[in-house]
Amino acid sequence: MKTNFLHELTWRGMVHNHTPEVEKLLQQPTTAYVGFDPTADSLHIGNLVSLMLLVYLQRAGHTPIALIGGATGMIGDPSGKSKERNLLDEDTIRYNLERIKLQMQKFLDFETTENPAEIVNNYDWYKNFNVIDFLRNVGKHLTISYMIAKDSVQNRLETGISFTEFSYQLLQGYDFYWLYTHKNCRLQMGGSDQWGNITAGIELISKLIPQAQAHAITCPLLTKSDGSKFGKSEQGNIWLDANKTSPYKFYQFWLNVDDKDLPKLLRIFLPFDQATIKQLETDNAQNPNALKRILAKEITTMVHSVEDYQKAEQASQLLYGKAVLEQFEATDLATLQEVFEGLPRQTYTAKEFESIATTTDLVALALQISKSEANRLIKGNGVSINKTKLTIEQATQKPNFTLLKEQFLLIQKGKQYFLVEVLK
RNA sequence: GGGGAGAUACCAAAGUGGCCAACUGGGGCGGACUGUAAAUCCGCUGUCUCUGACUUCACAGGUUCGAAUCCUGUUCUCCCCA
């Protein structure tokens, strides 16, 4: 099944801007790339949009290249950044890059013979590129006035931009040129903030290769309906790495998205066709939570695994469903362990547990907060233990609760869960 | 180089000798209502041995019964002139 890539991106709401002739280019199987910054050892939800661009590209019969900016990551892209950033050292970048590669392998098909995906690292072609050559062969072709006109640079002229970050567009431009000549890559995609960098590449290619046809597609930056950044909630980024964001938390994140963002998210992240998505929306028009569950299920399965999804779902059912204490008791220990897996946990020996003087102390310890804060929360009716609100009176006394399965206490702070485990 | 203004809690911003753990707004957290949503309303938002005590208003000293507020020095930031 080959789809019309540009058409598909359009109905998915993933086209912000593109070069005029790109549609013609895409009538033939084409190679395209998206760049990723190895600034962390995991991709996050923001990167997931770019990754989906490549997924849809490959499904449409084109060849995707994921470029990991081992070199450019050492420079720092000024786009969307209000101030100069710290440079990462080489070892960190190398490590991050390997981790990111592993994550990408879940999404793209590297085995197919027809249009296998590929991951490249621009450090490979920069490491032996000397300054003189770079300035003669690349820098010569773009003018300062052209470079200064870019929004990413304009926005920084007041607050300051180093020559290093200013040069970034040349590097990214050359990346495109390199891929164009070595991998026959004709198209670069990215977030709308990348437009300036991409066109710099197109400009460079057209200077170096007179008949060249290089193109760009950018996609809107993912934001919440209130305009704030998506996937960067309170506790920071939502990562794809299970060690940084547990599958349970990941799953919960999608269940908790704003209703208003649903149509947008379904279209970007669900790999179904247009009719199916519309059908889902009609079927669940009165029940946005069902839609969120589908969204959460699909993305969690895609990023983690079916098993992880099932555990997350099970945990959510138990923790947020109508579940009462009896249901926890009725669940077998192994399952319960899995349900509790993603929760912050404090473990004590029976002796240690005995020595905790008051329930307030216990709460402070379990939630890793100060005693004053624990006190405030309890006074504000904000803490439950084993699904029952903690009274102020109880809080001042020595903990006296029935342990679930004779070893767990489930403590709730609002909607968040914490676990205390007492070893026998 | 010369002149001026400022540094207050997560951020912004009041306070200019006792009524200040410090107005207010944002953010965050909790509660109510709901659908684990949004909107709305309410409460909390330094620490502790918690109806009280203790440590905070750039840093170090000083004046005073008493300082975020006055004085001295230090560091940093911003603005204007050259």
Side-chain angles (χ1 to χ4, degrees), chain A residues 36-39 68-77 86-88 93 122 168:
Chain A
F36 295 87
D37 255 354
T39 42
I68 302 184
T72 35
M74 297 175 79
I75 297 301
D77 181 2
N86 297 326
L87 300 177
L88 295 171
I93 286 181
N122 60 11
Y168 186 89

Side-chain angles (χ1 to χ4, degrees), chain A residues 288-340:
Chain A
N289 276 351
L291 273 179
K292 288 183 197 174
R293 244 175 269 127
I294 296 168
L295 177 74
K297 173 189 173 182
E298 293 302 326
I299 304 184
T300 308
T301 306
M302 188 162 63
V303 170
H304 297 290
S305 66
V306 190
E307 293 75 39
D308 285 327
Y309 152 69
Q310 285 165 344
K311 284 183 207 167
E313 163 62 17
Q314 198 173 24
S316 302
Q317 286 283 333
L318 257 184
L319 296 175
Y320 290 98
K322 301 277 182 289
V324 281
L325 226 43
E326 291 76 61
Q327 277 174 272
F328 283 93
E329 285 295 355
T331 311
D332 67 87
L333 188 60
T335 311
L336 215 51
Q337 284 283 12
E338 282 179 359
V339 167
F340 290 156

